[in-house]
Amino acid sequence: MKNTAFSLAQVPFEQMFQASALPMLIILPKTGEIVEANQAAAHFYGFSISEICQRTIFDFNTLTREEVLQEMRLAAAYNKNTFRFEHRLADHSVRQVEVISTPLMHGPDAPLCSVIHDVSEFFTIQQREQLIQQTLEKHYHLLHAVLNGTHKRAMLVVDPTGVLRLLNKPAENILGLHPVQATGKPLATTLFGEEIIANIQRELSLPASTPLAWPTLFAKIEAHALQATKGWVRPEGLPAFRAEVHFSTLKEESDTVSGLLILIENIENQEQAAEKLKLAASVFSEASEGILITSTDGKILDVNQAFCIMTGYDRQELVGQNPRMLKSGHQEPHFYQQMWESIHATGHWFGELWNRRKNGQIYAEELTITAVKDDQGKVSHYIGLLSDITDRKHQQATIEHLAYYDALTQLPNRILLGDRMRQALAHNARGHGLIAVCYLDLDGFKPVNDKYGHKTGDLLLIEVAKRLQDCVRNHDTVARLGGDEFVIVMTQINTPEETDRILHRVLHTLHKTFRIDGYPDIHVGASIGVAHYPVDGQDADTLLRHADHAMYQAKDAGRHTVHYFNPAQDEQIHQHHQFRNEIRRALEDDAFTLHWQPWVDLSSGKILGYEGLLRWVKDNRNIWLPATFLERLENDNLLIAIGNRVLEQAYEALDQTFQYNIAKPISLNISLRHWQGKTFIQKLRQLSETHPRVPSSFISLEIKESELLANMDELKPIIREVRGLGYKVIIDGLGAKTEVTDYPYLALADAVKLSSYLLHDMLENDQALLHVQTLHLACQKRNVPIIAKQLELIEQIVVLLRLDITQGQGYAIYPTLSALPLQPSEEPNIELNVPTLHLAWPIDDSALATAIPEHRRWLQKLHKLMLDGATFPYQKGNTLDCCRLGDWMHGKGQRWAHLPEFNKLEKEHQHFRRLVSEAVAAIQTAPQNMPGILDQATSELGRMADTVDLLIHDITKNSK
């Protein structure tokens, strides 16, 4: 050792210096003299300690003296204590070393303790730090300088009891550990997440169920080396983060473990970057679209597998080539010029082009080109994203054909027809004669379709299309609108007669027998409506609409004919079309609903069931009754749609009543068109299957007597099939046909409903009353229940009960309900309070039994007259109408004139009528007297009621 003013004995870490496994030197910074070296330095450099101390640090360095001093000056200026040098050893080999120099005392000339770390074979900072820590664990001031040499990793030193002895500055920032507060206290193992702890337990063969404790860890770690592990670190008071954790043992001279160096590095950014790189690589390799990367001069740098599959080339064949090798010649040079102008201006381009595969096949691709720029904003390369759209192009061509041509007949469809009509109109606007728009609908096509099937029907339409094309001229257009509807547009027509000649040729051609699909004798005809430009319209839509209207007139005129548009009939047809459109919208908007009218036992008021009555809620406020719209539809198919909606709503309502155990039978009016519909039975089956809770027997379907009689042969098997499904059938309006004297068709019915006209007339007309009795007897004979409907007067109920007709419905009993009751409390409580007549009571005397209800209505009208000025319906001019009681007393009732109560009733009746006349007159002359007169009339009516009861009693007794 050189004789210097510095002696190692003066340094408190002499023992550590000599025992250190790392080379250590004591250097004078001014001269670079080495004043002391340990045994590890002698071993590393290949010189003895004395030989080392006879040299300067410059002798070992491959740099010049001035270069080394410059490094030291820079280090002092930047407060840096770590150096990277190349040192030459005694055997002349050169080693990469990392030198950490720390002053041993204060002062500018303080000797430096330099730790020499051979990093030739170590490339990671983790290994360098671990080797250093193994040596410097016990020496705080030197180790502290080393620990703070890294700014990314938290470094902790714990002793075998788990007490934190040392931490660096990053540990404060990353883990939130304050040196003063944390040092000297146990480090909680909860700092490490479950994943890290599980890795430690697995490597050290610790049971997973045993909590990790520092003494256990130290006991195991002497025999095992811990690998770096990744997982969650959970600092107290700070967000958890993903980290890589290294554990290194610190040993004393006796080789016993005296501590543990823990390195913790936040790797969230690294993992995210790695994930992004992995994702980018995955997208590139796995993408279904082709990806192409080129340099700025157009050379292909890379392609993915999808690009290779698309083009048919291998990657090796493409890299280094120019993409123009794929050109098909379908694009002109100016196409590519515009493409590159867009890329240079905007940085990207998107479009379609045709290229050529390796096998020569032409294909279509959708291409996006994006210019990628470097940090300086200069374009570094281009990326192309490609999709093979050849199939799509072919589909588009097919779709475009389908968009303009009928798929079955290959004739122009409505869209192409409109386009050709507009072209023809534009041409004819310059004065080139007439244009005839001919709307053709086949006659008899539906029966063919139903009889032979849809396949034969389609073949027939194809043949019709061919015949139509053969009948017209080359410049005319034949189009199919759908179904069995065609349009012929004839241009350059000079006179309407020319149109007529061509169309009659069409009719003649279509009338000829068709031989289709093996059937040799198929016949159809056509109804044709014609509108001429410019006489019948100035635009395509108007002409087509007018021709359509004219076609319907041809249908009405007997079919298989030509009808020319007549403006006088157009408005009526237009209004009907508007009405049908309103009905369609009402169906779409669910504007049709059912109200429910109870039918009852007339003797007790007990509800036996409900009839569903259709209502149209128009404009969300006005309610239209069926009579206002159903008759206008006649045999329209819309009746089927409405009928299906009625059935669906009825089933849903009835299903709910079964859910609440309060179900009662219902009846529904079914139109003749619906009964005759091909899907009627199918619809009933479907509804029965979708509502298994509802027995079919709870639903009665009504058919009008008049419609049944007119279509008996057709309807009889349908009715039998409906009844076979469990539904009941009611013949509605029985008795409307007064000429019928035999009723064998009652065998088709489970019940009948009497004609409302008959029920009204029976109070006035003896023949009507007799007809009711006859119908009742006919139904009794066949055990068919009879129901009286649309009862509006109590008198009707009195007479019906006398006839032993005990079921009825109508506003005299109870108004309609907006929904079926779902709770017993919702069900109407019906009290009729109808006088009951003995069956011996003469039916001719029914006017007496109904006299009080009739005159009570008179009083009700008088009260309404007094309150709101309503009209009094029982007076014409100054004379009161005759009432049924008055007619009876002057007619058939005269046979009872000998009874005292008869004469009394006659006087009371005359007095009552006089009071009514006075009340009506008082409205105009002395309205203040009206209440008093009404009170008198009410009292008189009460006396009349008592007298009627006595007279009924006497008549009944005399009748017996």
Side-chain angles (χ1 to χ4, degrees):
M1 180 184 299
K2 293 183 180 180
N3 184 16
T4 67
F6 177 79
S7 172
L8 187 59
Q10 296 172 296
V11 182
F13 54 87
E14 177 182 356
Q15 184 180 355
M16 180 277 296
F17 181 85
Q18 296 298 339
S20 175
L22 288 177
M24 299 182 70
L25 304 174
I26 305 299
I27 301 170
L28 297 180
K30 275 191 174 183
T31 61
E33 293 177 81
I34 300 172
V35 297
E36 188 61 87
N38 66 357
Q39 190 60 44
H43 178 74
F44 174 72
Y45 285 107
F47 295 103
S48 65
I49 293 175
S50 61
E51 288 175 326
I52 291 173
C53 292
Q54 292 173 2
R55 288 171 168 77
T56 68
I57 195 63
F58 310 123
D59 297 330
F60 293 106
N61 212 308
T62 58
L63 297 178
T64 65
R65 175 187 180 92
E66 186 53 38
E67 287 174 336
V68 173
L69 290 175
Q70 179 63 22
E71 287 289 325
M72 295 174 67
R73 285 193 293 271
L74 288 173
Y78 291 101
N79 197 25
K80 174 183 171 184
N81 66 343
T82 302
F83 304 88
R84 176 70 65 86
F85 294 121
E86 291 184 348
H87 280 191
R88 185 175 288 102
L89 309 186
D91 61 1
H92 301 291
S93 65
V94 175
R95 306 290 289 177
Q96 293 283 339
V97 297
E98 190 174 74
V99 180
I100 300 175
S101 297
T102 305
L104 295 179
M105 61 187 65
H106 295 292
D109 299 330
L112 301 175
C113 175
S114 295
V115 179
I116 312 300
H117 185 193
D118 185 357
V119 295
S120 299
E121 298 177 2
F122 301 98
F123 299 103
T124 64
I125 191 169
Q126 294 99 315
Q127 292 168 314
R128 295 197 303 272
E129 290 166 344
Q130 183 178 0
L131 289 174
I132 296 171
Q133 303 314 314
Q134 289 175 348
T135 305
L136 302 183
E137 184 268 338
K138 292 184 179 179
H139 308 284
Y140 174 79
H141 61 284
L142 184 59
L143 189 57
H144 188 274
V146 175
L147 290 175
N148 287 325
T150 177
H151 62 281
K152 290 184 179 180
R153 293 178 178 172
M155 295 188 182
L156 308 173
V157 175
V158 295
D159 65 18
T161 64
V163 173
L164 181 64
R165 293 302 181 184
L166 194 63
L167 71 160
N168 66 350
K169 190 68 175 176
E172 297 182 41
N173 302 328
I174 297 173
L175 303 177
L177 297 173
H178 193 277
V180 176
Q181 297 173 352
T183 305
K185 296 178 182 178
L187 180 68
T189 57
T190 55
L191 174 67
F192 306 110
E194 295 178 359
E195 185 181 353
I196 295 175
I197 291 176
N199 290 340
I200 294 173
Q201 289 172 332
R202 184 174 59 256
E203 285 199 43
L204 299 182
S205 301
L206 293 172
S209 58
T210 304
L212 186 65
W214 290 111
T216 307
L217 178 63
F218 271 88
K220 284 280 188 178
I221 206 168
E222 288 192 45
H224 297 80
L226 271 178
Q227 301 295 322
T229 184
K230 295 180 181 179
W232 288 94
V233 170
R234 306 182 186 279
E236 185 177 353
L238 292 175
F241 60 89
R242 294 278 300 168
E244 184 174 77
V245 183
H246 296 257
F247 296 93
S248 300
T249 55
L250 300 175
K251 296 183 179 181
E252 296 189 0
E253 293 176 5
S254 59
D255 205 35
T256 59
V257 176
S258 59
L260 193 64
L261 175 65
I262 304 170
L263 306 179
I264 300 173
E265 182 178 1
N266 187 328
I267 60 171
E268 286 191 340
N269 290 339
Q270 297 175 29
E271 287 189 340
Q272 290 174 2
E275 189 63 30
K276 287 180 180 178
L277 287 173
K278 181 180 177 182
L279 179 61
S282 174
V283 168
F284 184 79
S285 61
E286 302 298 331
S288 58
E289 294 85 1
I291 301 176
L292 167 75
I293 303 174
T294 74
S295 61
T296 54
D297 60 358
K299 295 289 180 63
I300 297 176
L301 301 177
D302 204 357
V303 295
N304 68 348
Q305 185 61 28
F307 187 91
C308 294
I309 293 171
M310 189 185 306
T311 61
Y313 288 96
D314 292 333
R315 180 178 178 277
Q316 293 80 1
E317 295 177 286
L318 292 166
V319 172
Q321 301 297 320
N322 192 291
R324 70 171 63 95
M325 65 184 289
L326 303 172
K327 286 176 65 173
S328 65
H330 278 228
Q331 289 79 223
E332 297 294 333
H334 69 83
F335 172 87
Y336 296 100
Q337 181 181 349
Q338 291 175 353
M339 180 182 78
W340 282 107
E341 286 175 356
S342 173
I343 295 171
H344 294 322
T346 65
H348 65 272
W349 180 85
F350 172 80
E352 298 177 1
L353 68 157
W354 292 86
N355 272 342
R356 188 184 305 275
R357 305 187 206 276
K358 182 179 179 179
N359 63 7
Q361 182 184 17
I362 303 299
Y363 70 97
E365 68 181 31
E366 191 173 71
L367 172 63
T368 301
I369 300 176
T370 303
V372 180
K373 298 181 179 180
D374 57 20
D375 295 339
Q376 286 73 42
K378 293 182 178 179
V379 176
S380 58
H381 53 278
Y382 297 100
I383 295 180
L385 186 65
L386 308 90
S387 297
D388 188 337
I389 59 170
T390 309
D391 289 343
R392 190 203 303 173
K393 283 293 187 181
H394 292 157
Q395 290 170 2
Q396 284 177 351
T398 302
I399 291 170
E400 286 176 5
H401 181 80
L402 291 175
Y404 295 107
Y405 289 89
D406 175 55
L408 179 65
T409 63
Q410 302 304 309
L411 293 177
N413 63 9
R414 185 183 293 270
I415 297 173
L416 185 54
L417 171 67
D419 183 60
R420 291 193 179 176
M421 286 182 68
R422 283 187 288 273
Q423 292 180 25
L425 291 172
H427 180 72
N428 273 51
R430 296 188 288 272
H432 295 280
L434 300 173
I435 297 175
V437 178
C438 313
Y439 204 115
L440 183 151
D441 185 270
L442 294 181
D443 298 328
F445 174 74
K446 187 175 184 297
V448 172
N449 214 26
D450 294 341
K451 182 177 180 180
Y452 300 110
H454 292 295
K455 178 186 175 185
T456 301
D458 288 347
L459 293 174
L460 175 59
L461 290 173
I462 293 171
E463 187 60 31
V464 166
K466 292 178 181 176
R467 291 192 185 186
L468 291 176
Q469 287 178 304
D470 290 340
C471 288
V472 300
R473 301 160 300 174
N474 290 336
H475 55 267
D476 296 333
T477 295
V478 179
R480 180 180 178 226
L481 299 188
D484 58 352
E485 294 181 336
F486 297 83
V487 170
I488 302 172
V489 178
M490 294 185 283
T491 59
Q492 302 176 27
I493 295 292
N494 297 315
T495 64
E497 288 75 17
E498 187 176 351
T499 304
D500 203 56
R501 284 196 302 273
I502 295 173
L503 292 181
H504 277 86
R505 186 163 68 241
V506 168
L507 291 178
H508 177 73
T509 301
L510 293 180
H511 191 64
K512 293 179 181 178
T513 301
F514 288 86
R515 291 174 175 80
I516 303 291
D517 203 21
Y519 301 107
D521 194 21
I522 294 177
H523 293 277
V524 293
S527 296
I528 306 175
V530 184
H532 280 107
Y533 169 87
V535 181
D536 299 324
Q538 301 289 316
D539 60 84
D541 290 340
T542 302
L543 288 166
L544 200 58
R545 186 175 68 252
H546 288 172
D548 183 26
H549 293 175
M551 182 271 294
Y552 278 105
Q553 295 301 308
K555 292 273 190 190
D556 294 340
R559 301 173 184 264
H560 196 63
T561 187
V562 178
H563 189 90
Y564 290 86
F565 174 69
N566 184 341
Q569 297 170 335
D570 180 54
E571 182 58 30
Q572 180 183 354
I573 297 171
H574 177 66
Q575 289 178 0
H576 183 68
H577 280 311
Q578 281 189 321
F579 170 71
R580 294 182 79 252
N581 287 334
E582 285 188 69
I583 294 291
R584 287 194 187 95
R585 283 195 296 272
L587 285 167
E588 292 170 0
D589 298 340
D590 209 16
F592 291 110
T593 186
L594 288 176
H595 285 198
W596 300 93
Q597 186 171 66
W599 86 74
V600 304
D601 184 324
L602 296 176
S603 59
S604 65
K606 178 183 177 182
I607 296 177
L608 304 176
Y610 297 90
E611 179 182 354
L613 300 175
L614 181 64
R615 299 291 185 263
W616 178 5
V617 183
K618 206 162 185 290
D619 303 324
N620 293 321
R621 57 181 186 277
N622 298 323
I623 296 180
W624 284 28
L625 301 180
T628 60
F629 58 90
L630 289 185
E631 291 179 3
R632 295 175 62 183
L633 292 174
E634 297 179 357
N635 291 323
D636 199 303
N637 282 335
L638 285 173
L639 287 173
I640 296 177
I642 294 173
N644 285 337
R645 186 65 54 85
V646 166
L647 287 171
E648 291 163 2
Q649 290 187 9
Y651 255 100
E652 289 169 6
L654 196 54
D655 204 331
Q656 282 190 303
T657 65
F658 272 95
Q659 183 179 347
Y660 290 94
N661 297 316
I662 194 174
K664 280 187 169 58
I666 64 169
S667 68
L668 302 168
N669 288 287
I670 304 297
S671 69
L672 175 63
R673 185 72 187 88
H674 202 183
W675 277 100
Q676 295 171 324
K678 297 296 182 184
T679 60
F680 181 55
I681 300 296
Q682 178 186 342
K683 184 66 176 180
L684 293 178
R685 283 200 179 98
Q686 174 209 330
L687 289 170
S688 181
E689 291 170 1
T690 54
H691 297 274
R693 187 160 42 195
V694 179
S696 302
S697 59
F698 263 65
I699 300 176
S700 296
L701 305 177
E702 300 184 16
I703 175 74
K704 290 181 181 178
E705 180 195 37
S706 58
E707 295 174 342
L708 176 61
L709 292 175
N711 302 274
M712 181 64 72
D713 292 339
E714 181 183 2
L715 290 175
K716 190 184 292 185
I718 297 174
I719 290 174
R720 285 175 179 161
E721 190 170 359
V722 167
R723 296 180 76 189
L725 294 175
Y727 295 92
K728 294 184 177 180
V729 174
I730 294 177
I731 297 177
D732 186 24
L734 188 70
K737 292 281 188 179
T738 55
E739 68 274 10
V740 177
T741 57
D742 192 20
Y743 306 96
Y745 51 87
L746 290 177
L748 297 171
D750 297 283
V752 298
K753 288 189 176 181
L754 289 174
S755 165
S756 58
Y757 300 107
L758 196 60
L759 292 169
H760 182 271
D761 291 347
M762 73 178 183
L763 298 178
E764 310 280 355
N765 187 301
D766 290 343
Q767 286 299 110
L769 183 60
L770 180 61
H771 195 180
V772 172
Q773 290 176 286
T774 303
L775 292 171
H776 185 217
L777 289 172
C779 290
Q780 278 185 321
K781 199 179 293 184
R782 292 169 175 80
N783 198 27
V784 177
I786 189 166
I787 304 168
K789 69 171 189 175
Q790 294 184 18
L791 299 178
E792 297 178 352
L793 303 173
I794 294 296
E795 299 94 290
Q796 292 172 303
I797 301 175
V798 173
V799 173
L800 290 168
L801 286 172
R802 165 60 187 79
L803 296 174
D804 200 26
I805 297 174
T806 58
Q807 294 189 46
Q809 66 184 80
Y811 281 89
I813 299 170
Y814 205 83
T816 60
L817 307 172
S818 60
L820 288 176
L822 297 178
Q823 301 291 339
S825 59
E826 297 176 3
E827 197 164 59
N829 182 23
I830 299 175
E831 297 180 4
L832 294 176
N833 297 321
V834 178
T836 305
L837 299 176
H838 194 277
L839 290 178
W841 172 262
I843 194 65
D844 290 343
D845 298 325
S846 59
L848 176 62
T850 62
I852 300 306
E854 179 184 16
H855 288 79
R856 188 173 289 120
R857 275 199 307 280
W858 285 34
L859 288 181
Q860 290 170 352
K861 294 294 183 182
L862 284 172
H863 276 285
K864 194 166 181 60
L865 176 65
M866 181 178 68
L867 293 174
D868 56 21
T871 57
F872 186 64
Y874 306 112
Q875 178 169 316
K876 301 288 189 300
N878 295 323
T879 306
L880 281 179
D881 289 347
C882 284
C883 59
R884 280 189 286 270
L885 177 62
D887 289 341
W888 175 78
M889 295 185 80
H890 292 94
K892 294 178 180 180
Q894 280 295 308
R895 68 187 190 281
W896 308 110
H898 63 282
L899 297 175
E901 286 78 9
F902 185 93
N903 295 319
K904 182 183 179 186
L905 179 61
E906 188 172 27
K907 292 177 183 178
E908 290 170 348
H909 180 240
Q910 290 172 355
H911 186 215
F912 177 81
R913 287 175 62 87
R914 188 165 56 251
L915 288 171
V916 170
S917 295
E918 290 176 7
V920 174
I923 288 293
Q924 302 297 329
T925 58
Q928 68 277 7
N929 297 334
M930 182 96 172
I933 299 172
L934 285 178
D935 288 342
Q936 293 179 52
T938 302
S939 299
E940 191 62 50
L941 185 61
R943 287 188 285 274
M944 282 176 61
D946 293 338
T947 304
V948 165
D949 288 343
L950 291 171
L951 185 54
I952 288 175
H953 180 268
D954 286 348
I955 292 174
T956 303
K957 185 169 65 172
N958 279 279
S959 298
K960 290 179 182 178

